[in-house]
C-alpha cells in the first residue's frame, strides 16, 4: 500500500521540490487516503448487507438530490476556502449560491417541490464547488499549490463524509448489538444523582423556548466546530500551509474512534430504555419524572432501529473539543465555546439522550485523543506518553466500573460519585499542566534604556 501511494503521488510532486522533502509526506498522505477509502468501501459493503445505502452512495446522491446536510455542506465548503484568496472565495461562494438557486428554481418549475421531508432545499451547490476545486487542483495547479488546495478539498469532504460514516456506524450498532447495557449504566448513574432525570425536568419546565434553543445547539454542533476551526485556519491562505494541529483533526478522530466503543458498550439512553420513546422495548416508562429503581442490572433486548450511541457521549466529546480549541481565541470565541459546551451538556441530559456517566467518559475520551494528536504534532516524548496513558487507563477504568461495579456504585454514592468526578478531574488537570508546558512561551524583547538628554 505504501509503495502504491508513493508511486501515485510522485506523479504530482512539484518539480522544484527535492525528493527528500516530499517522499515521506507523500507516502503518509497517500497511505492515509487509501486507508480512508478502504474504510469507506467496507462501510458501504456492510450497509448494503442490511439493505440500505452506505456513506459513499449517500454522498454521491447529494450531488443531484436534496441533501440531508445542507448547512454542513456549506460549512465544509467554508473549510475548503481557507486555502483560497479573497477573490477566489467570493467566486466560490457566489457559484455555490447560484447553483443552489438554479436547482431550487428547476425543482419548483418541475413540480417536484422545493421542500423535502428528509433533506434541505440547498447544499448541492456547495458540494459541486468543492468537487470542482478538486478537479481544478489536479488540472490547473502544480507543486505545493496543488497539494494545498487538495488538502482543503479533503478537509471539506472529510467533514461531510464523517457525518455519513457516522450514520452508517449507528445503523450497524442497531443491527448487530441486539442487547443493550442501559440497566448497568442507569444503576451506576445513581452515584451522580441521576442527572438526566433532574435536567430533563428542568428542560421541560423551560417550555418550548428552552427546548428549541438546546435542540438547535445540539443539531448544529458540526457547524459550530467549523466556525472555531475557521479562526484557527485563518492564516492558511497567506502562509500557504496548514498548522500542525487544529480542531478538525480532533473532531474527525473522535467520530472515527467513538463508534468502536459503541460496539463494545451498547447503550440507547434514558429516553428509550426508561421513557416513552422506547415503546414496548423500554424497561419501564419513568423518564424524567421518577428515577429508575435499584435492581440487579442485566442486559436487555432492544429493537433493531435505535442506535446504540450513548457510551461515551460523542456530542459532549465534540463540545469539549470545541471548548479546548477556543481557549486561545478572542473573548467572543471563548464565550461561544463555553456556551456550546454547557448547552450541549444540557441538551444531552435534558432530552434523555445520555446518562451522567456517559458525559464523564466523553470528557476523558476527548482529552485523551486531543493529547495524542498534540503529542504527534509536536513530536512524541515522555510527557505525551504519560498523559495519553493516564487518560486511557482512566477511560478503561470508567467503562469497567460501569459494567462490573454498578450496584456497588449505587449503594455507596457518596464514595463512588466523588471518585468519578476525581478521576475525570485528574485527567483534566494533567492535560492542562502538560499542554501548558507544550505551548510556546511569549518572548519579551528587551527595551532600550532611555538615554539622558544633554542640555
Amino acid at each position: 500500500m505504501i509503495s502504491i501511494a508513493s508511486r501515485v503521488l510522485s506523479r504530482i510532486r512539484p518539480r522544484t521540490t527535492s525528493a527528500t522533502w516530499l517522499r515521506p509526506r507523500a507516502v503518509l498522505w497517500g497511505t492515509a487516503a487509501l486507508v480512508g477509502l478502504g474504510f469507506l468501501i467496507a462501510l458501504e459493503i456492510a450497509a448494503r448487507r442490511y439493505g440500505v445505502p452506505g456513506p459513499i452512495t449517500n454522498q454521491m446522491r447529494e450531488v443531484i438530490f436534496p441533501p440531508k446536510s445542507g448547512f454542513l455542506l456549506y460549512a465544509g465548503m467554508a473549510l475548503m476556502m481557507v486555502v483560497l484568496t479573497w477573490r477566489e472565495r467570493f467566486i466560490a461562494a457566489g457559484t455555490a449560491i447560484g447553483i443552489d438557486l438554479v436547482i431550487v428554481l428547476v425543482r419548483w418549475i418541475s413540480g417536484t417541490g422545493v421542500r423535502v421531508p428528509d433533506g434541505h432545499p440547498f447544499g448541492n451547490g456547495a458540494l459541486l464547488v468543492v468537487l470542482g476545486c478538486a478537479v481544478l487542483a489536479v488540472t490547473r495547479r502544480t507543486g505545493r499549490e496543488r497539494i494545498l488546495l487538495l488538502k482543503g478539498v479533503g478537509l471539506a469532504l472529510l467533514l461531510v463524509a464523517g457525518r455519513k460514516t457516522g450514520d452508517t456506524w449507528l445503523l450497524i450498532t442497531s443491527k448487530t448489538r441486539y442487547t443493550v447495557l442501559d440497566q448497568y449504566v442507569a444503576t451506576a448513574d445513581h452515584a451522580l444523582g441521576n442527572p438526566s432525570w433532574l435536567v430533563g425536568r428542568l428542560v421541560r419546565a423551560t417550555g418550548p423556548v428552552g427546548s428549541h434553543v438546546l435542540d438547535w445547539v445540539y443539531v448544529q454542533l458540526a457547524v459550530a466546530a467549523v466556525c472555531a476551526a475557521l479562526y484557527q485556519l485563518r492564516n492558511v491562505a497567506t502562509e500557504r500551509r496548514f498548522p500542525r494541529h487544529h480542531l478538525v483533526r480532533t473532531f474527525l478522530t473522535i467520530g472515527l474512534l467513538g463508534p468502536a466503543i459503541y460496539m463494545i458498550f451498547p447503550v440507547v439512553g434514558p429516553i428509550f430504555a426508561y421513557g416513552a420513546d422506547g415503546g414496548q422495548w423500554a424497561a419501564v416508562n419513568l423518564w424524567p419524572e421518577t428515577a429508575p429503581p435499584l435492581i440487579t442490572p442485566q442486559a436487555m433486548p432492544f429493537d433493531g432501529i435505535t442506535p446504540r450511541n450513548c457510551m461515551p457521549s460523542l456530542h459532549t466529546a465534540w463540545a469539549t473539543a470545541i471548548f479546548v480549541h477556543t481557549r486561545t481565541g478572542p473573548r467572543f470565541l471563548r464565550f461561544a465555546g463555553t456556551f456550546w459546551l454547557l448547552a450541549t451538556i444540557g441538551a444531552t441530559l435534558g432530552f434523555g439522550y445520555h446518562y451522567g456517566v456517559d458525559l464523564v467518559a466523553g470528557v476523558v475520551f476527548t482529552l485523551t485523543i486531543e493529547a495524542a494528536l498534540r503529542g504527534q504534532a509536536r513530536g512524541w516524548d515522555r510527557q505525551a506518553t504519560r498523559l495519553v496513558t493516564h487518560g486511557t487507563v482512566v477511560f478503561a477504568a470508567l467503562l469497567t466500573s460501569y459494567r462490573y461495579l454498578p450496584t456497588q456504585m449505587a449503594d455507596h454514592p457518596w464514595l463512588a460519585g466523588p471518585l468519578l468526578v476525581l478521576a475525570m478531574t485528574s485527567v483534566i488537570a494533567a492535560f492542562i499542566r502538560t499542554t501548558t508546558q507544550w505551548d510556546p512561551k511569549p518572548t519579551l524583547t528587551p527595551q532600550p534604556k532611555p538615554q539622558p538628554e544633554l542640555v
Side-chain angles (χ1 to χ4, degrees), residues 131-212:
L131 296 176
C133 288
V135 175
L136 179 66
V138 175
T139 58
R140 302 295 297 274
R141 299 287 178 91
T142 59
R144 294 192 179 188
E145 291 299 315
R146 172 187 286 173
I147 295 176
L148 185 67
L149 184 53
L150 286 176
K151 285 182 179 180
V153 172
L155 276 183
L157 294 179
L158 280 174
L159 182 68
V160 183
R163 173 70 175 271
K164 307 301 179 186
T165 301
D167 293 341
T168 304
W169 260 121
L170 297 183
L171 171 70
I172 294 175
T173 62
S174 64
K175 298 297 184 182
T176 59
R177 294 299 179 261
Y178 304 107
T179 59
V180 296
L181 304 178
D182 281 78
Q183 293 187 20
Y184 292 89
V185 180
T187 303
D189 212 39
H190 279 76
L192 297 177
N194 300 296
S196 181
W197 274 256
L198 174 62
V199 180
R201 292 194 293 269
L202 291 176
V203 171
R204 286 193 176 183
T206 61
V209 176
S211 298
H212 280 82

Side-chain angles (χ1 to χ4, degrees), residues 22-331:
L22 180 63
R23 188 173 298 275
R25 300 191 181 190
V27 170
L28 179 62
W29 279 95
T31 303
L34 289 176
V35 170
L37 180 60
F39 179 70
L40 288 175
I41 293 175
L43 283 181
E44 182 75 25
I45 295 173
R48 292 301 183 93
R49 182 180 177 184
Y50 295 107
V52 296
I56 298 177
T57 303
N58 285 330
Q59 188 65 74
M60 295 306 297
R61 283 176 55 88
E62 293 189 346
V63 175
I64 301 175
F65 296 97
K68 292 184 177 181
S69 49
F71 288 106
L72 191 62
L73 287 171
Y74 270 93
M77 186 185 71
L79 269 183
M80 184 268 300
M81 291 195 298
V82 299
V83 306
L84 304 178
T85 64
W86 278 107
R87 177 177 177 273
E88 293 169 338
R89 291 172 186 172
F90 283 121
I91 294 175
T95 303
I97 295 173
I99 292 174
D100 274 335
L101 290 177
V102 171
I103 292 177
V104 169
L105 182 61
V106 170
R107 289 172 183 160
W108 179 69
I109 294 176
S110 62
T112 57
V114 175
R115 293 185 175 272
V116 288
D118 58 345
H120 292 87
F122 59 89
N124 305 94
L127 180 57
L128 288 172
V129 167
V130 171
L131 296 176
C133 288
V135 175
L136 179 66
V138 175
T139 58
R140 302 295 297 274
R141 299 287 178 91
T142 59
R144 294 192 179 188
E145 291 299 315
R146 172 187 286 173
I147 295 176
L148 185 67
L149 184 53
L150 286 176
K151 285 182 179 180
V153 172
L155 276 183
L157 294 179
L158 280 174
L159 182 68
V160 183
R163 173 70 175 271
K164 307 301 179 186
T165 301
D167 293 341
T168 304
W169 260 121
L170 297 183
L171 171 70
I172 294 175
T173 62
S174 64
K175 298 297 184 182
T176 59
R177 294 299 179 261
Y178 304 107
T179 59
V180 296
L181 304 178
D182 281 78
Q183 293 187 20
Y184 292 89
V185 180
T187 303
D189 212 39
H190 279 76
L192 297 177
N194 300 296
S196 181
W197 274 256
L198 174 62
V199 180
R201 292 194 293 269
L202 291 176
V203 171
R204 286 193 176 183
T206 61
V209 176
S211 298
H212 280 82
V213 171
L214 292 180
D215 182 67
W216 184 82
V217 170
Y218 190 84
V219 172
Q220 300 300 335
L221 182 64
V223 178
V226 170
C227 294
L230 288 176
Y231 175 80
Q232 291 184 320
L233 304 176
R234 65 193 184 279
N235 296 324
V236 171
T238 56
E239 297 177 356
R240 311 312 295 166
R241 65 179 180 85
F242 279 87
R244 288 185 175 272
H245 180 56
H246 49 82
L247 175 59
V248 182
R249 299 177 74 229
T250 307
F251 208 83
L252 293 175
T253 305
I254 291 173
L256 178 65
L257 299 180
I261 312 299
Y262 294 163
M263 302 292 288
I264 299 173
F265 211 112
V267 180
V268 293
I271 190 64
F272 299 103
Y274 294 96
D277 287 14
Q280 63 178 351
W281 299 95
V284 63
N285 188 0
L286 295 175
W287 188 90
E289 287 79 12
T290 306
L294 284 177
I295 59 173
T296 302
Q298 59 183 355
M300 53 184 283
F302 215 78
D303 63 30
I305 302 174
T306 306
R308 280 66 164 151
N309 61 338
C310 280
M311 182 62 70
S313 169
L314 290 197
H315 265 78
T316 301
W318 283 318
T320 302
I322 295 174
F323 175 82
V324 170
H325 279 266
T326 53
R327 293 308 90 196
T328 56
R331 179 179 298 178

